[in-house]
Amino acid sequence: VRRRAWEDRFLMQLAPCYFQAGNLAQAERILFAIADGGEPDTAATKLLWARIKLARGDLGGALQALLAAEAMNPQLPGIYIQIGDTYSRLLQWENAKTAYEKDVAHDPDNARAYHGLSTDYRRVGDNQQTVDHALRAVGLLHRLPMAHFNLGVALVRSGENERARLAFETALRFQSEMV
């Protein structure tokens, strides 16, 4: 980057590195440099912009950036999961469900989308949908402690305590500090 500061391809590698290292200010600075001093203007840079905003707790700003990135490139990997997760954090269950369902339609084998759906259904008290989606999630990717937790909660609510105990124990095996 120092030798070829005008090369966006190098900057596009550096910005996520700064983000992953926890240096949000430097990642932002690089994004502004890529966009010639303005806000990020490509789907990929808007996606990173959204992640920075999420890390700073700006859920509204993150959602705006995610929706802009989706509008630019609806095929962007992981975009619907991130939109769903953000809507969930904003307690907008129906919007979150819609985003996760878009991801499932795009990639029917994405365990994280099914996990997101199971979490949303758990939060609204739909036990059967929680069980169905949690089982699908852990069937695709067994090491999802929160999906096992969702399964356990729905099973307890349904009176299936022994199966719930197994689900909770599995969640604890993968994430022992889970309450």
Side-chain angles (χ1 to χ4, degrees), residues 12 31 38-53 61-72 76 79 82:
M12 281 303 299
L31 287 178
E39 270 197 33
D41 56 358
T42 67
T45 55
K46 285 212 178 278
L47 188 59
L48 181 56
W49 183 250
R51 293 175 68 201
I52 291 168
K53 288 184 175 294
L63 183 60
Q64 285 179 335
L66 287 167
L67 294 174
E70 175 199 12
M72 292 176 176
L76 199 60
I79 188 72
Q82 290 182 53

Side-chain angles (χ1 to χ4, degrees), residues 160-176:
E160 297 186 48
N161 295 337
E162 186 55 31
R163 286 180 63 203
R165 183 181 62 76
L166 292 171
F168 288 137
E169 287 174 353
T170 303
L172 286 170
R173 229 182 340 228
F174 292 130
Q175 191 173 340
S176 60

Side-chain angles (χ1 to χ4, degrees), residues 2 28 30-31 38 44 46 58 60-61 65 69 82 85 109 116 123 127 134-135 160 166 176:
R2 285 189 185 114
E28 266 184 328
I30 297 296
L31 287 178
K46 285 212 178 278
D58 180 5
Q82 290 182 53
D85 290 350
D109 292 328
R123 288 180 173 155
N127 296 326
L135 286 173
E160 297 186 48
L166 292 171
S176 60

Side-chain angles (χ1 to χ4, degrees), residues 5-177:
W6 63 90
E7 290 276 1
D8 285 354
R9 63 191 171 124
F10 298 133
L11 294 172
M12 281 303 299
Q13 297 297 315
L14 184 59
C17 290
Y18 276 130
F19 175 78
Q20 290 298 327
N23 195 332
L24 304 180
Q26 284 294 92
E28 266 184 328
R29 188 179 66 76
I30 297 296
L31 287 178
F32 283 127
I34 292 169
D36 294 325
E39 270 197 33
D41 56 358
T42 67
T45 55
K46 285 212 178 278
L47 188 59
L48 181 56
W49 183 250
R51 293 175 68 201
I52 291 168
K53 288 184 175 294
L54 280 172
R56 290 203 166 136
D58 180 5
L59 298 176
L63 183 60
Q64 285 179 335
L66 287 167
L67 294 174
E70 175 199 12
M72 292 176 176
N73 183 359
Q75 304 303 315
L76 199 60
I79 188 72
Y80 294 113
I81 297 290
Q82 290 182 53
I83 291 171
D85 290 350
T86 305
Y87 275 129
S88 288
R89 289 177 65 185
L90 289 166
L91 309 179
Q92 296 181 22
W93 312 124
E94 205 51 45
N95 289 331
K97 184 175 88 117
T98 300
Y100 293 130
E101 286 172 344
K102 283 182 181 179
D103 195 86
V104 167
H106 179 70
D107 179 6
D109 292 328
N110 189 333
R112 290 187 58 216
Y114 290 105
H115 166 246
L117 284 166
S118 76
T119 299
D120 284 348
Y121 282 117
R122 175 183 53 85
R123 288 180 173 155
V124 297
D126 189 332
N127 296 326
Q128 189 56 55
Q129 289 287 354
T130 302
V131 168
D132 293 346
H133 288 92
L135 286 173
R136 178 78 170 139
V138 300
L140 291 166
L141 181 62
H142 191 63
R143 190 179 275 274
L144 282 174
M146 284 306 296
H148 288 283
F149 172 80
N150 290 341
L151 179 60
V153 169
L155 291 170
V156 164
R157 289 176 181 166
S158 301
E160 297 186 48
N161 295 337
E162 186 55 31
R163 286 180 63 203
R165 183 181 62 76
L166 292 171
F168 288 137
E169 287 174 353
T170 303
L172 286 170
R173 229 182 340 228
F174 292 130
Q175 191 173 340
S176 60
E177 68 277 1

